[in-house]
Amino acid sequence: MTSTSVSSTSVTSNDSAHTDRFAREHLPPPALWPELRFDLPELQYPPRLNCVAALFDGALACGAAGHVAVRGEHLSWTYTQLQEQVDRIAHVLRGPLGLEAGNRVLLRGANNPMMAACILAVLKAGCIAVPTMPLLRARELGTIAAKAEINAVLCADSLRAEMEAVDLPAAVKAKTLWFGAADGALEALMARQPASFDAVDTASDDVCLISFTSGTTGVPKGTMHFHRDVMAICDCFPRSVLGSQSDDIFIGTPPLAFTFGLGGLLLFPMRVGATAVLLEKLTPETLLQAIDKYRATVCFTAPTFYRQMAPLAGKYEIASLRKSVSAGEALPLATRESWRQATGLAMIDGIGATELLHIFISASGDQIRPGATGKPVPGYQACILDHDGNPVGPGVIGRLAVKGPTGCRYLADERQRDYVLNGWNLTGDAYEMDADGYFYYRSRTDDMIISAGYNIAGPEVEDALLRHPAVAECGVIGRADEERGQIVEAHVVLKPGHEASEEMTAQLQEFVKGQIAPYKYPRAIRYLTALPRTETGKLQRFKLRIE
Ligand code: 3UK
């Protein structure tokens, strides 16, 4: 194994292909970057790299030309056909739309083949994709558009109303194209373009993606990623943990505008010439149906989805499924177990972050240790730091710190200083390591509950509650309390057929005390009909706190 460490100052030396210098000028100063490490032979990328060209070249070179690349509800495209769509869109961007390399294109659409083609085309054309979550409202879109100083918009017709309500400069409005309707303006222009486009010869460290954090609090942060970062995430987790192959059929729920979905449902399948099934508006039930219908082999979704799918799994023929990946938030052990019972599959848990683009700690197969997220994915390193930034040994809870080929670079944001410490990316998670190097999630750093001097991690209490047969979902927070500082407060959604009552509360409290140290039991329990979640499946704990 070669061990080449590239220091953060020498990684911006290539000549940029961007004539619009916005991205380069708004990168954080190199001193504030995390250390980047390229410790595997497969992470040595050439100085000139267009990731979309590299993905297509790779797939076509291994004979995937006639293989289905993307399958939607109404159409499928082979690699050759997808490439043609991408190339026509790239021509539209650089021709009729008049964009130059380095321009930012805001993208909006549900998961489907056309949305995938649009994202790929922006990168191939040397522009920068700014994908946005379908559920975002006009004001949030306005913030993103202003921050990324977008030059153009490609938006699905189904999301047109909200997009039209965004306050955009006239020049950007003039460069807005709708797709997916019968009279789609983008499709009309595509039909008049050549079917083949020469990829813009970008530098491997030209920015190609600005992904905004799903952020449960505060103004969204734009994370900037290079062409080589896109290749790096494909060459880490999917290669060493997932073990994806060309005959895999990927399926799942995360939006393509969320890097969990972009990687798992588009880039990873393309890297091995496999098939991506892209479907809109999935529910636990329709995802199971779709796994059955499309014979999917790899599934990407959030823990709550698996929890809701488990009791329904027996109704469908899903033996095709070989791997299931859970990310976005902590996987409760109770969910891992019920999924295993329902399907026989050992869940691949993985922690990723928008700042690092994708998963950096995970485990699969025999390497799985229930309760742990896993070990650093080859290519990444991780450790636990104490309050002062010093590494701590096994058994001590501290701040998770990570470094590898990808890392945090916020678009013009002071919070860069909070995420990077001494070259490490600090994800904001409280973790603990064991003597064998496995990493255990405890809570978000700010979510640790301190009650009467005890540190209590909400997710541990949640896991205990989830084992009770009446509990469908739950979220545990610390509520300010005069006597104890904070008390453990559980927000519980009951399964159908169960009623909220004082007896139920007493029963749940006793149940928790029987499973974990009694001081961790929820002194208060509130009942809700649903938990507040982000579009990416994360529990919005701050909403529970203000209720
Ligand atoms: C939490 C997890 C415990 C954790 C993401 C896979 O979630 C992703 O990115 P975000 O920027 O959030 C990052 C934060 O989410 N988290 C994610 N996965 C896990 N906590 N166990 C897990 N398995 O707090 C982390 O700091 O929205 C996930 C791939 C790409 C992603 N962007």
Side-chain angles (χ1 to χ4, degrees), residues 23-369:
R24 223 154 259 251
E25 283 164 6
H26 289 82
L27 280 167
L32 299 184
W33 291 24
E35 184 192 347
L36 297 170
R37 302 199 57 93
F38 302 88
D39 293 337
L40 303 173
E42 54 269 33
L43 298 176
Q44 313 305 311
Y45 299 107
R48 309 306 300 177
L49 177 71
N50 182 302
C51 63
V52 172
L55 287 171
F56 274 115
D57 288 351
L60 298 174
C62 65
H67 198 170
V68 175
V70 283
R71 195 179 279 282
E73 194 160 351
H74 304 297
L75 62 86
S76 304
W77 288 327
T78 62
Y79 273 88
T80 308
Q81 291 168 324
L82 174 64
Q83 177 159 263
E84 181 179 330
Q85 301 295 322
V86 167
D87 284 6
R88 287 179 187 274
I89 302 169
H91 274 296
V92 171
L93 297 172
R94 300 301 301 269
L97 221 49
L99 297 182
E100 57 174 295
N103 279 175
R104 277 79 53 218
V105 181
L106 188 141
L107 290 147
R108 274 183 84 52
N111 285 6
N112 58 44
M114 190 59 180
M115 175 66 179
C118 287
I119 299 174
L120 296 170
V122 169
L123 275 53
K124 192 163 181 184
C127 296
I128 298 172
V130 184
T132 57
M133 239 52 105
L135 292 182
L136 291 186
R137 312 291 295 185
R139 193 169 43 78
E140 303 162 290
L141 290 169
T143 311
I144 290 172
K147 195 139 191 208
E149 295 187 26
I150 60 157
N151 305 90
V153 177
L154 298 182
C155 179
D157 193 70
S158 55
L159 299 173
R160 185 169 184 151
E162 202 62 33
M163 193 68 227
E164 278 179 332
V166 184
D167 186 19
L168 292 174
V172 178
K173 288 212 159 166
K175 294 188 180 191
T176 295
L177 290 177
W178 314 102
F179 62 85
D183 57 348
L186 175 58
E187 286 89 342
L189 287 169
M190 285 166 71
R192 298 202 285 273
Q193 306 302 315
S196 164
F197 178 91
D198 289 332
V200 171
D201 182 30
T202 40
S204 61
D205 63 354
D206 271 332
V207 173
C208 64
L209 174 71
I210 302 180
S211 183
F212 280 83
T213 54
S214 45
T216 44
T217 45
V219 186
K221 292 166 270 194
T223 64
M224 305 169 90
H225 303 286
F226 299 157
H227 282 269
R228 85 165 174 236
D229 300 340
V230 168
M231 301 312 286
I233 59 165
C234 295
D235 294 336
C236 287
F237 168 78
R239 196 177 179 124
S240 46
V241 181
L242 188 59
S244 33
Q245 306 158 359
S246 62
D247 62 352
D248 272 320
I249 300 173
F250 290 68
I251 202 165
T253 61
L256 290 175
F258 179 28
T259 66
F260 181 36
L262 183 66
L265 299 178
L266 184 60
L267 306 172
F268 299 172
M270 285 184 76
R271 184 62 168 153
V272 291
T275 300
V277 179
L278 293 169
L279 300 171
E280 315 184 2
K281 300 197 185 81
L282 287 165
T283 63
E285 182 107 39
T286 59
L287 176 53
L288 283 166
Q289 261 164 28
I291 293 171
D292 184 337
K293 176 173 171 189
Y294 297 97
R295 298 265 158 273
T297 62
V298 181
C299 178
F300 281 79
T301 188
T304 51
F305 243 76
Y306 286 113
R307 177 161 172 89
Q308 292 170 265
M309 287 200 290
L312 306 171
K315 289 171 42 188
Y316 300 93
E317 175 49 52
I318 58 164
S320 59
L321 203 59
R322 293 197 286 244
K323 313 263 168 78
S324 50
V325 180
S326 168
E329 63 174 13
L331 173 68
L333 197 48
T335 303
R336 171 186 286 289
E337 287 164 5
S338 61
W339 183 245
R340 170 134 217 171
Q341 271 163 15
T343 65
L345 292 172
M347 188 84 77
I348 303 177
D349 187 8
I351 177 172
T354 309
E355 287 81 354
L356 286 125
L357 208 46
H358 220 276
I359 292 172
F360 45 81
I361 295 178
S362 184
S364 64
D366 302 343
Q367 301 294 308
I368 293 171
R369 196 166 283 194

